[in-house]
Amino acid sequence: MDLGLQGRTALVTGADSGIGLATVKLLLAEGATVVMSDIDQQALEAAATTLDAQEGRLHAFAADITSTSSVKALKEQVFDAVGEIDILVQGAGIHGPDGLFHEIDEEGWQQTLDVNLMGHVRVLQAFLSDLRSGGWGRLVFVSSEDAVQPYDDELPYCASKAAILSVARGLSRTYAKEGLLVNTVSPAFIATPMTDEMMDKLAKQRSISRDEAIQAFLEEERPFMELGRRGEPEEVAAVITFLCSDRASFVNGANYRVDSGAVATI
Ligand code: NAP
């Protein structure tokens, strides 16, 4: 199936690892020009060297999405390199502090919301005019199963992901008639540096290996993940890439779960 991405230009945040990097790879394979962005220039450049792209089809610019000036600088760099973008994938995110409500201070809440909600708002404010201008645009946010199924020991993360789901739904009403379609994907427990870190912490607490921690977490915390394993970043990237494509021309305001059944209530 031709996704119709040849000649399109995409910006992907959170692009030096995990779901973002897998999405960059797929968008490149489908013929798009891609700008990858993440917070750390060195890690970004290292990730870019692993990718196979024709001259001029891949660009990498670091930006901290908690900083308005950094996002403005990114906008200028992107425009100078590729002009206006057609596609924005907002994958940057942090897990934020673990703990029950009474164990997390205001700073923990603010840091998490500043990246996972306001970071995405800042990036969209900078690039919205691009996405609206050509009569064809795609905006995909990476939310989480936690948005609709909050866990009481990671509430800042859950709240930030629920907030972005709400923002996306609202945006999907505002710009659809201009050709800008807005959707979300909600993964659960994907094998990325984010969950590696969570599993290493659990492994240390229990003096077990990472693989044993993954099994314990699946059995105790995610019994409704019916496939009984962590997902792969590529399995999320495939859905994101479809939503970025011409083939998703009647999909708007949707939330695609990529979670093997993790949301128990649906
Ligand atoms: P990841 O590899 O850690 O990707 C997240 C990226 O965001 C990292 O490269 C991180 O950079 C970057 N980032 C953090 N703060 C930033 C900032 N202020 N400015 C710019 N970039 C920043 O983990 P991932 O799992 O692929 O996460 C991608 C998205 O999927 C996230 O939004 C996450 O919440 C969501 N998600 C993941 C899972 C899962 O199971 N993995 C499940 C549901 C949702 P550093 O690493 O340098 O900090």
Side-chain angles (χ1 to χ4, degrees):
M1 178 163 80
D2 178 6
L3 293 181
L5 281 162
Q6 295 258 359
R8 299 291 182 195
T9 302
L11 169 64
V12 180
T13 70
D16 74 16
S17 59
I19 294 166
L21 181 57
T23 303
V24 171
K25 271 187 205 157
L26 266 189
L27 288 169
L28 282 171
E30 291 298 326
T33 294
V34 183
V35 181
M36 49 194 301
S37 185
D38 209 298
I39 194 166
D40 183 80
Q41 184 69 40
Q42 266 187 325
L44 196 58
E45 280 168 17
T49 60
T50 68
L51 297 167
D52 188 19
Q54 292 156 338
E55 184 71 29
R57 283 205 25 235
L58 179 65
H59 304 266
F61 302 118
D64 176 356
I65 64 169
T66 66
S67 155
T68 305
S69 59
S70 182
V71 171
K72 277 189 180 155
L74 174 67
K75 164 75 184 161
E76 282 168 25
Q77 285 172 308
V78 172
F79 188 76
D80 289 347
V82 297
E84 292 191 336
I85 60 164
D86 310 296
I87 298 166
L88 174 59
V89 178
Q90 298 241 45
I94 58 170
H95 187 261
D98 285 321
L100 298 174
F101 183 81
H102 60 270
E103 295 167 325
I104 297 175
D105 61 13
E106 185 178 340
E107 202 188 336
W109 277 91
Q110 272 174 347
Q111 278 171 353
T112 312
L113 289 163
D114 204 20
V115 180
N116 294 357
L117 173 61
M118 289 312 300
H120 292 208
V121 169
R122 283 182 199 99
V123 174
L124 183 57
Q125 282 175 333
F127 288 92
L128 180 64
S129 59
D130 288 24
L131 298 174
R132 291 179 70 186
S133 72
W136 190 101
R138 297 286 186 269
L139 170 58
V140 180
F141 294 98
V142 183
S143 179
S144 167
E145 56 141 348
D146 296 23
V148 295
Q149 180 165 266
Y151 298 96
D152 67 350
D153 58 352
E154 47 184 37
L155 283 180
Y157 183 77
C158 299
S160 69
K161 293 299 183 178
I164 213 64
L165 210 56
S166 174
V167 170
R169 285 268 162 84
L171 289 169
S172 73
R173 305 179 77 173
T174 318
Y175 304 114
K177 288 195 177 65
E178 297 177 12
L180 171 54
L181 306 183
V182 184
N183 295 289
T184 54
V185 293
S186 288
F189 202 35
I190 307 300
T192 69
M194 187 178 279
T195 59
D196 283 350
E197 198 181 313
M198 286 162 62
M199 291 305 103
D200 288 346
K201 206 167 144 189
L202 183 63
K204 201 172 163 196
Q205 277 165 7
R206 298 193 184 180
S207 302
I208 55 178
S209 69
R210 183 192 281 175
D211 284 348
E212 287 167 334
I214 290 169
Q215 278 317 311
F217 184 79
L218 282 166
E219 281 160 27
E220 295 164 25
E221 306 283 340
R222 297 293 185 274
F224 297 104
M225 287 189 68
E226 305 298 348
L227 296 180
R229 62 171 174 84
R230 283 203 292 183
E232 295 300 326
E234 293 73 19
E235 294 177 295
V236 185
V239 180
I240 296 174
T241 303
F242 164 70
L243 290 171
C244 290
S245 78
D246 224 19
R247 295 293 178 141
S249 52
F250 205 56
V251 184
N252 184 42
N255 175 40
Y256 274 58
R257 293 167 48 209
V258 189
D259 65 6
S260 91
V263 177
T265 52
I266 300 175

